[in-house]
Amino acid sequence: MKKILMVANVDWFFISHRLCIAQEAVKQGWDVTVAAENTGRSLEIESEGIKFVDFKFSRSGTNPIQEIKTLSSFYQLYKKLQPDVVHHITLKPVIYGSFVAKIIGVKGVLNAVSGLGYNFTEGRSGIVSKIMIKMMRFGFLRKNVSVIFQNQDDFQELKKLKVLHQANNIVFIKGSGVNLDIFYPQEDLNNKKIKILLPTRMLWDKGVAEVRLASDLLKAKFSKKIVFILSGLADEENKAGVSSSYLKDWQDGDYVIWIGYKKDMVPVYRDADIVVLPSYREGMPKTLIEACAMGKPIITTDAIGCRECVDEGINGFKIPVKSSVNLAEAIVKLIDNKEMRTEMGKQSRMKAVKEFDQKDVILKHLTIYEDLLNG
């Protein structure tokens, strides 16, 4: 039986971003194993006929001894499972997994580059980044490696760093897609207050501080008219994580409400009038893809990954990175114009149907798997 190993950071991220692909792989006759940290949701994966390995590693660790242990764990996992194809999801599995897969001789490797992460943002160029680049160069330098990029910027960055090679099969897929039958526009809202939703893990790199500053700028004039909804967990294990104490201090239960992580985001999006994500850099943010499918006007940054989700002035606005003033101004434009919100929402849905259909994403992945198996 053809065997595929899918490696991700944590179970909940896999469920959110790649479970639909694994489900289809099972239907197509693949023996599918997922390796990720079990945060309590592994049974949701196993219930789909997918094997699960609790595989924990530091997502952004820099301790040399710990990282050597992590590399050894990858080696032991691949040696034991002997997959025909391995699909690396998120940056650390891409780096460590590609390195190990080449040493062991895994037949086919698919690397999903969904953003270059903490060690590649903010101009960071320390010893850790240099080691990662060398490991990627080694792991990518072989036949039968496919690389999925979600945007042109990440592709150009790895090309400039000489990570990519002529033998690599380069594919562009806009994110993980969205199920258009589940995420779809609802009836017009009649909220007493205009709800501005920030749907993301609470990380500084997602622009959390900029949203707080924007909310402060607007409070005096609009405190009776708008409410900020923060939907996402405080990912305090992440180096860029915002502390729960910061969020609790910010929220007041009236003008700002932090609702934490929600397994089912459809009702959260449905109840929002405006979606904001002033992120510094993304691969292709699933939250914005879902917001498009739900027919919401969007405010995001003109940053890598984010800019692909908004057509300026059509389904939302793009603002400069780290500009709380521009964020506040864009929010005011939408607060004051319901007709604009409605029209931009319609355009978002049209964009999702055209560019982000999950069915297309699944088909492309399964085709890549077969090509790697037969390569």
Side-chain angles (χ1 to χ4, degrees):
M1 195 174 188
K2 50 191 181 182
K3 295 171 65 177
I4 185 166
L5 170 64
M6 306 175 78
V7 188
N9 288 336
V10 291
D11 52 3
W12 57 260
F13 182 88
F14 179 84
I15 291 168
S16 172
H17 289 71
R18 296 293 186 277
L19 180 59
C20 60
I21 297 169
Q23 289 170 322
E24 185 60 29
V26 170
K27 292 178 184 177
Q28 297 296 327
W30 286 86
D31 178 353
V32 182
T33 300
V34 171
E37 179 183 346
N38 180 15
T39 66
R41 300 187 65 185
S42 62
L43 290 178
E44 295 176 48
I45 297 172
E46 292 178 316
S47 68
E48 299 294 335
I50 300 164
K51 297 170 186 174
F52 184 86
V53 177
D54 187 3
F55 188 60
K56 185 174 182 178
F57 55 89
S58 171
R59 285 176 275 165
S60 54
T62 57
N63 182 293
I65 295 174
Q66 188 59 48
E67 294 311 292
I68 290 171
K69 289 181 180 178
T70 298
L71 191 60
S72 175
S73 296
F74 271 85
Y75 181 86
Q76 292 169 23
L77 177 71
Y78 290 27
K79 195 74 174 176
K80 179 181 178 180
L81 296 182
Q82 293 290 322
D84 298 302
V85 175
V86 63
H87 180 177
H88 300 127
I89 303 156
T90 65
L91 192 62
K92 197 161 229 181
V94 166
I95 297 169
Y96 286 39
S98 297
F99 186 88
V100 168
K102 182 176 179 179
I103 293 173
I104 288 179
V106 175
K107 184 174 185 181
V109 173
L110 173 57
N111 289 325
V113 181
S114 54
L116 291 180
Y118 177 84
N119 284 297
F120 290 85
T121 58
E122 298 296 297
R124 299 181 179 104
S125 57
I127 186 67
V128 174
S129 297
K130 291 176 181 177
I131 292 172
M132 287 181 174
I133 291 166
K134 287 183 178 180
M135 289 179 69
M136 279 195 284
R137 286 174 181 164
F138 175 84
F140 282 48
L141 182 55
R142 53 164 288 185
K143 293 181 180 179
N144 222 26
V145 171
S146 290
V147 187
I148 293 176
F149 288 97
Q150 298 185 351
N151 59 68
Q152 280 285 337
D153 299 271
D154 287 340
F155 166 68
Q156 293 298 335
E157 184 68 21
L158 289 195
K159 189 176 179 182
K160 183 174 70 176
L161 292 171
K162 298 181 180 179
V163 168
L164 303 175
H165 299 276
Q166 289 183 340
N168 300 154
N169 174 41
I170 308 300
V171 184
F172 288 92
I173 300 177
K174 289 188 175 182
S176 51
V178 61
N179 188 327
L180 297 172
D181 296 327
I182 295 176
F183 292 84
Y184 60 89
Q186 305 291 314
E187 65 281 351
D188 287 341
L189 294 171
N190 290 306
N191 290 328
K192 292 181 180 179
K193 290 184 177 182
I194 294 171
K195 294 187 176 181
I196 302 161
L197 173 67
L198 173 65
T200 185
R201 281 184 296 155
M202 296 296 140
L203 306 176
W204 299 118
D205 290 357
K206 301 290 186 181
V208 172
E210 285 72 22
V211 176
R212 182 168 188 172
L213 288 170
S215 71
D216 290 343
L217 289 170
L218 298 174
K219 189 170 185 177
K221 185 175 181 180
F222 295 102
S223 62
K224 303 299 183 184
K225 189 173 182 178
I226 66 176
V227 56
F228 287 84
I229 307 295
L230 318 176
S231 179
L233 60 81
D235 192 359
E236 295 182 279
E237 289 187 14
N238 193 303
K239 282 193 173 184
V242 176
S243 69
S244 56
S245 60
Y246 177 93
L247 297 167
K248 289 174 182 176
D249 178 67
W250 177 14
Q251 74 154 1
D252 59 8
D254 180 37
Y255 180 63
V256 179
I257 303 172
W258 177 36
I259 62 174
Y261 168 78
K262 296 295 179 183
K263 183 177 177 181
D264 182 6
M265 283 297 294
V266 171
V268 181
Y269 287 117
R270 182 184 299 145
D271 202 35
D273 296 277
I274 302 164
V275 173
V276 299
L277 183 68
S279 184
Y280 301 172
R281 180 177 187 145
E282 297 278 345
M284 182 71 67
K286 188 174 180 66
T287 53
L288 292 190
I289 291 174
E290 291 173 345
C292 279
M294 292 294 295
K296 301 299 176 180
I298 296 167
I299 302 170
T300 190
T301 50
D302 189 16
I304 295 171
C306 297
R307 63 173 68 105
E308 284 82 3
C309 297
V310 169
D311 300 317
E312 177 64 27
I314 305 297
N315 72 314
F317 298 114
K318 288 181 279 194
I319 61 170
V321 173
K322 297 185 179 181
S323 177
S324 54
V325 172
N326 287 99
L327 175 59
E329 290 173 348
I331 290 171
V332 170
K333 288 180 185 177
L334 289 172
I335 290 173
D336 290 339
N337 195 328
K338 183 178 180 179
E339 290 74 22
M340 179 184 287
R341 296 200 303 270
T342 300
E343 180 56 31
M344 284 186 168
K346 290 178 181 177
Q347 292 297 326
S348 278
R349 176 64 183 184
M350 291 170 63
K351 185 175 180 67
V353 171
K354 183 179 179 181
E355 300 181 23
F356 304 134
D357 191 341
Q358 189 179 81
K359 293 176 183 176
D360 295 335
V361 172
I362 293 171
L363 178 61
K364 288 176 181 177
H365 277 81
L366 269 292
T367 300
I368 294 170
Y369 293 165
E370 293 292 339
D371 289 345
L372 290 171
L373 182 68
N374 300 316

